[in-house]
Amino acid sequence: MKRPMRTIIESLGVYLPAKIVSTSEVLAKCVRPPRIPLQWVTGIESRRVAGDTEFAIDLAKQAVARCLANSRHSPGDIDLLICANIARCDAANQTWIYEPSTSIRLREHFGFHRALVFDIANACAGMFTGVYIVDALIQSGCIQRGMVVSGEYITPLTETAQKEIASETDPRLACLTVGDAGAAVILERSADDQAGFEALELYSLGSYSGCCMAGPTDQTHGGITMITDMKRLADTCARHGRLHAEAICRQIGLRADDVDWIIPHQTSRLTLDGLKLGKGHDGW
């Protein structure tokens, strides 16, 4: 069943730090470099890394500024601001800041004085969770437009993993694949209901939450780390992602041949190359 009205992305702002670090450079800085062709397995040739004076909130500010520059709206036109980044490291020496919230500080910095603001935390799905919330409030008529922003500064995971990884099967290996960036979107109702989201749906697989756990390292050198069951995550992505996409398309009357792209998250080039989707209902 198609939605009665549609939400569009009115403006998009993306910020990528200037510093580029190759996968080979990341591996070379490991105390015990894992014997794995990481670039070939993941398809990641390089990633952006924040500068020495850039942190999570700085990446978010850059993204918001670019989003506003691309928009016909000013900060005073925004009814809701949601900040969705995982990282809260906003100063040197890995200082994490939770209060005041990032959204409050962005509100004051840019002058979003009419906006209701809050932070959310939903791991890698945070940005889309924010979009989901804004869309729901637009659909209900509670707001006219909202902004979702994320400033993700997570390369400290890499720095810790470079000290700790012991082998090519180490569960911290995924820490070597991350990068830093900022992104922001302004969402509002489509003027003619012809453009915009055809469908937007999220669901959580709580039983798999243990596949990726992040937090402080237990080593004396300190820092943050992430423990990942990469094989199980890839399998979950292939199985549940495909079923979810199929269900949503069937809900709005689309067949497999109507879809040009399916973009999964948290997988690798090797997984994608080896993924074989059997034909099922409606050609999936």
Side-chain angles (χ1 to χ4, degrees), residues 148-224:
V148 183
V149 57
S150 177
E152 212 59 87
Y153 172 62
I154 54 175
T155 49
L157 288 170
T158 302
E159 296 167 6
T160 304
Q162 287 170 326
K163 301 172 185 175
E164 297 181 359
I165 284 178
S167 71
E168 59 272 14
T169 60
D170 196 294
R172 291 162 290 199
L173 200 65
C175 298
L176 303 181
T177 67
V178 300
D180 302 323
V185 293
I186 292 175
L187 305 164
E188 64 182 8
R189 180 177 175 177
S190 173
D192 55 16
D193 290 338
Q194 297 301 307
F197 298 137
E198 187 81 14
L200 184 60
E201 188 67 45
L202 300 177
Y203 78 100
S204 297
L205 298 168
S207 59
Y208 296 94
S209 61
C211 292
C212 185
M213 304 290 288
T217 179
D218 59 1
Q219 303 297 310
T220 57
H221 50 68
I224 58 172

Side-chain angles (χ1 to χ4, degrees), residues 125-143:
M127 191 80 179
F128 281 99
T129 304
V131 169
Y132 188 83
I133 294 170
V134 173
D135 172 68
L137 292 174
I138 291 174
Q139 295 288 313
S140 69
C142 292
I143 64 171

Side-chain angles (χ1 to χ4, degrees), residues 81-96:
L81 172 67
I82 299 176
C83 189
N85 44 288
I86 302 168
R88 306 290 171 173
C89 186
D90 291 336
N93 301 318
Q94 297 186 344
T95 301
W96 285 59

Side-chain angles (χ1 to χ4, degrees), residues 25 44 89 106 129 146 191 210 270:
E25 289 177 288
I44 300 171
C89 186
L106 292 176
T129 304
L270 190 63

